[in-house]
Amino acid sequence: MTSTSALPDAEFTRRTQPYRRELLAHCYRMLGSIHDAEDLVQETYLRAWRSFDTFEGRSSMRTWLYRIATNVCLTALGHHGRRVLPSGLGAPGADPSAPPVAVAAEVRWLQPLPDTLVTPESADPAGVAVARDSLRLALIACLQHLNGRQRAVLLLRDVLGMPAAEVADLLDTSTAAVKSTLQRARARLAEVATAAEQAVPPSDPGQRALLEEYLIAFRRADPAALERLLHRDAVLEMPPSGTWFAGKRTCVDYLARQVLGAPGEWLLFPAAANGQLAAVAYRQENGCGYRAFGVAVLTTTKDSIIRITAFGDPGLVPAFGFPPTLG
């Protein structure tokens, strides 16, 4: 027999659980970190659970949860600076043989987000496309240039499509203030936005073939194969190093000199992050097993790779469903 005390918890789960994926995506867009986003979604649900019996239904359950999540994110942003990528810190490197550029310990890096954690459970192609396009790494990097309030308004209005009056109520402000903040956020985003990327779905057969060629090139330590895959204006950046390079020739020279090593030194596996192609990378350790290295997110055109953002953080690998080591 079910106890009556368990009923509120069951009802809370039934009514709130369907929004967990989209709330994770929202917190990630706000914070630029998968780890922070997961923590803040947990905080959101804890606060919602504690006050569930006071929810009066004056707004939808979804809006109520977004109110809590957005305010939790704004509080977190008040304690931390923006997250960055190496290309946001200075000019590209010119010497592929130079040692990596060290950065200050307080620099906080942008992190990738596994598609599997936020892709809508429904098979609705439109919903999947919206989720993918609003999570692209270039957009998340640009959002870091907005203050917390601007990010919140821009995401609630332009990504989630909430009416201005609803956003105003959610943020405890006026509709006029929401409209003004949105105008400033859009203008600022236009100032920092890079050239528009060609949004090719990672599920496209041509994209899957492109990713497979990339994985094989690394496994074989084949710089010539990578050169064939890279766009002439390719960019390579590798947080937590401040080093980054621009131009196919320089990127390939760096990879050949300092990264690829011998055939078999790397094992890469296909993944998807931020609505883009990605690869989970392992590097051979002491000539035997492999240890997680991190995750590379690829920005692509229809037939080439125009940007490789290689996050050298083993702690990201478990979020993509992979173990920390391979035998």
Side-chain angles (χ1 to χ4, degrees), residues 58-81:
R58 286 180 292 182
S59 65
S60 69
M61 176 62 64
R62 181 174 183 260
T63 299
W64 183 63
L65 289 172
Y66 269 101
R67 173 192 291 273
I68 299 171
T70 300
N71 283 290
V72 165
C73 288
L74 290 172
T75 299
L77 285 171
H79 300 301
H80 302 291

Side-chain angles (χ1 to χ4, degrees), residues 12 20 23-24 27 31 35-52 64-76 79:
F12 173 79
R20 183 175 285 271
L23 287 170
L24 179 62
C27 291
L31 276 296
H35 298 322
D36 288 353
E38 289 178 325
D39 288 346
L40 294 181
V41 168
Q42 287 296 103
E43 177 66 18
T44 295
Y45 273 79
L46 178 60
R47 293 189 183 191
W49 176 76
R50 286 173 174 168
S51 58
F52 185 57
W64 183 63
L65 289 172
Y66 269 101
R67 173 192 291 273
I68 299 171
T70 300
N71 283 290
V72 165
C73 288
L74 290 172
T75 299
H79 300 301

Side-chain angles (χ1 to χ4, degrees), residues 42-313:
Q42 287 296 103
E43 177 66 18
T44 295
Y45 273 79
L46 178 60
R47 293 189 183 191
W49 176 76
R50 286 173 174 168
S51 58
F52 185 57
D53 59 350
T54 67
F55 176 64
E56 299 176 349
R58 286 180 292 182
S59 65
S60 69
M61 176 62 64
R62 181 174 183 260
T63 299
W64 183 63
L65 289 172
Y66 269 101
R67 173 192 291 273
I68 299 171
T70 300
N71 283 290
V72 165
C73 288
L74 290 172
T75 299
L77 285 171
H79 300 301
H80 302 291
R82 69 185 180 95
R83 290 182 175 270
V84 298
L85 291 173
S87 55
L89 295 178
D95 182 4
S97 63
V101 174
V103 297
E106 60 268 22
V107 169
R108 303 174 76 245
W109 298 107
L110 210 63
Q111 293 178 338
L113 177 69
D115 281 11
T116 53
L117 296 184
V118 293
T119 300
E121 293 179 326
S122 70
D124 174 29
V128 172
V130 169
R132 177 189 301 126
D133 291 344
S134 65
L135 289 165
R136 293 177 77 81
L137 204 55
L139 173 61
I140 302 303
C142 288
L143 288 173
Q144 299 297 304
H145 293 271
L146 306 181
N147 64 41
R149 201 83 169 173
Q150 290 172 339
R151 282 185 222 182
V153 169
L154 183 82
L155 293 172
L156 294 169
R157 290 284 288 118
D158 286 359
V159 174
L160 297 171
M162 291 185 179
E166 187 173 358
V167 174
D169 181 64
L170 188 151
L171 294 175
D172 294 320
T173 188
S174 67
T175 301
V178 165
K179 292 179 178 178
S180 175
T181 300
L182 179 62
Q183 185 176 21
R184 291 195 301 273
R186 286 172 174 169
R188 179 60 179 144
L189 204 63
E191 290 176 3
V192 301
T194 56
E197 301 169 9
Q198 184 176 349
V200 184
S203 57
D204 180 274
Q207 294 289 286
R208 293 201 299 269
L210 191 65
L211 177 59
E212 183 59 27
E213 291 181 50
Y214 176 82
L215 305 182
I216 293 171
F218 256 84
R219 291 169 187 164
R220 294 177 177 173
D222 187 348
L226 284 171
E227 185 169 9
R228 290 192 295 271
L229 292 173
L230 292 183
H231 190 277
R232 66 178 182 276
D233 298 322
V235 169
L236 171 65
E237 48 189 341
M238 301 152 290
S241 166
T243 300
W244 68 286
F245 298 103
K248 177 195 285 196
R249 184 68 261 166
T250 309
C251 292
V252 172
D253 283 351
Y254 175 80
L255 291 170
R257 291 169 185 260
Q258 302 205 42
V259 177
L260 291 179
E265 185 171 331
W266 291 91
L267 283 180
L268 275 69
F269 299 92
N274 297 82
Q276 301 170 230
L277 300 177
V280 172
Y282 290 81
R283 196 166 197 172
Q284 196 171 44
E285 188 175 65
N286 300 323
C288 47
Y290 289 82
R291 183 172 295 276
F293 174 82
V295 177
V297 179
L298 310 182
T299 302
T300 60
T301 65
K302 187 175 181 180
D303 55 9
S304 64
I305 299 170
I306 196 166
R307 182 180 292 265
I308 302 171
T309 307
F311 298 89
D313 180 358

